[in-house]
Amino acid sequence: MKKNRETKSIKIGLLGDSGVGKTNIINSILNVKFNEEEISTISSYKFEIKVILKKENEVNLIVWDTSGQERFRSLALKTIKNFDGIVLVFDVTNRKSFENISNWLSLIKENTEQKPNIILFGNKSDVEKEKWKITKEEIKQCVKKTKLDYFEVSAKKNQGINEGLSYLTNNLYDKLEEKKRYYTTY
């Protein structure tokens, strides 16, 4: 008989420029039909789901969709203070969103108390390669420089998202367990 375990909560935020597909990524997680006409998020909102991890542990995953628009950025920055993990999203067909990765990383560093685990999503990977504004080599260099784990994803085709989110959530759970072990030994 399995003993009852405490269900941990893990807070994750999606950050990135406006129009990179953060809301559609969340819709993909929730199995909501893809919407080409998705309007920009003007604030931030969250949803919660129960997730079963690799070792059959259950977590309450709290995911925040934040606005990428400059005028609402202060709202996004208020919500990221206590994120355990961050999915930083850029659009492979939008060079500016890729160039702004370093700006987002600086904002995260300046506005978080704890050091969140961060992964990088290159969204819209389903688009033909000729329409990409960033080369694979540039992405590779960015990943090497930032030391972020990278996932090519497509919210439209629901590809790569679950793998990236599962990777991040399992790592965060392991980190929480390690912290718990550390504090219970002292």
Side-chain angles (χ1 to χ4, degrees), residues 8-14 46-49 59-65 79-87 112 114-118 165 168-169 172-173 176:
K8 294 180 178 12
S9 290
I10 294 178
K11 296 176 284 273
I12 294 176
L14 273 72
K46 70 176 180 173
F47 72 91
E48 298 182 31
I49 56 172
V59 296
N60 184 36
L61 187 60
I62 304 165
V63 183
W64 287 84
D65 182 8
T79 60
I80 70 171
K81 285 186 188 231
N82 297 310
F83 287 166
D84 300 305
I86 293 174
V87 178
T112 54
Q114 58 196 26
K115 187 177 178 187
N117 285 23
I118 305 169
L165 202 57
L168 179 60
T169 306
L172 289 168
Y173 183 86
L176 289 172

Side-chain angles (χ1 to χ4, degrees), residues 1-5 52-58:
M1 184 167 124
K2 271 190 175 177
K3 71 176 192 177
N4 271 343
R5 296 183 189 175
I52 305 297
L53 301 177
K54 61 185 174 193
K55 297 174 186 166
E56 295 188 24
N57 297 309
E58 183 179 84

Side-chain angles (χ1 to χ4, degrees), residues 91-162:
D91 171 355
V92 298
T93 67
N94 178 334
R95 182 148 196 88
K96 186 75 173 152
S97 72
F98 178 74
E99 291 170 349
N100 281 337
I101 290 170
S102 59
N103 296 337
W104 281 106
L105 290 171
S106 293
L107 288 170
I108 292 166
K109 187 176 181 180
E110 293 166 12
N111 290 281
T112 54
E113 295 163 11
Q114 58 196 26
K115 187 177 178 187
N117 285 23
I118 305 169
I119 62 171
L120 186 62
F121 273 11
N123 191 28
K124 303 183 185 178
S125 65
D126 58 286
V127 173
E128 339 37 274
K129 300 294 183 219
E130 302 81 50
K131 293 185 179 177
W132 284 37
K133 302 297 183 198
I134 303 105
T135 67
K136 296 260 189 182
E137 185 57 35
E138 288 173 307
I139 294 170
K140 188 176 173 183
Q141 290 302 316
C142 174
V143 167
K144 185 177 178 181
K145 179 181 174 186
T146 61
K147 297 180 173 92
L148 297 178
D149 291 303
Y150 172 68
F151 296 85
E152 272 182 16
V153 302
S154 167
K156 185 175 189 174
K157 303 236 183 205
N158 194 6
Q159 295 173 334
I161 295 165
N162 289 332

Side-chain angles (χ1 to χ4, degrees), residues 29-45:
I29 295 166
L30 296 173
N31 292 317
V32 174
K33 189 174 186 249
F34 181 80
N35 181 1
E36 289 276 355
E37 322 282 289
E38 188 67 52
I39 57 171
S40 292
T41 304
I42 58 171
S43 179
S44 59
Y45 72 91

